[in-house]
Amino acid sequence: MPTYVALLNWTDQGVRNYKDTAKRSEAFRSAAHKLGAKLLSIYWTVGPYDLVAVVEAPDDETATAALLQLGGVGNIRSTTLRAFGAEEMEGIIAKATG
């Protein structure tokens, strides 16, 4: 299943409600599961991003739907990256080199 790395920043609302952040991550895990995606891991970070989430989803549309639901609550804004594992990268290289 494709993997996505979501770089998350709290909104003003998210910072005000920081005490609920662990509960919110579990709510996201559940919501993503209902859509067919899986939250593999979530990390609270120091630096330009407040959190980093790693999500698996069957396709871009499902990953986007899960992250739209998350952002729609109003606690975060996201930048999402499609990530490729070593096996996927070997396939991409094979296509590129003909």
Side-chain angles (χ1 to χ4, degrees), residues 9-59:
N9 281 314
W10 280 330
T11 60
D12 290 342
Q13 173 183 306
V15 169
R16 279 193 307 272
N17 297 313
Y18 72 91
K19 291 179 183 178
D20 296 331
T21 187
K23 290 178 190 173
R24 292 193 312 250
S25 72
E26 287 307 312
F28 174 57
R29 183 181 307 278
S30 177
H33 180 74
K34 288 177 184 175
L35 290 171
K38 182 178 181 182
L39 176 61
L40 297 178
S41 56
I42 189 162
Y43 301 98
W44 287 261
T45 57
V46 176
Y49 298 99
D50 298 311
L51 302 100
V52 176
V54 181
V55 176
E56 277 186 346
D59 50 49

Side-chain angles (χ1 to χ4, degrees), residues 77-95:
R77 287 192 173 79
S78 65
T79 300
T80 305
L81 309 167
R82 170 64 167 90
F84 299 93
E87 189 174 306
E88 290 174 298
M89 198 62 210
E90 290 295 333
I92 291 167
I93 291 167
K95 283 184 180 184

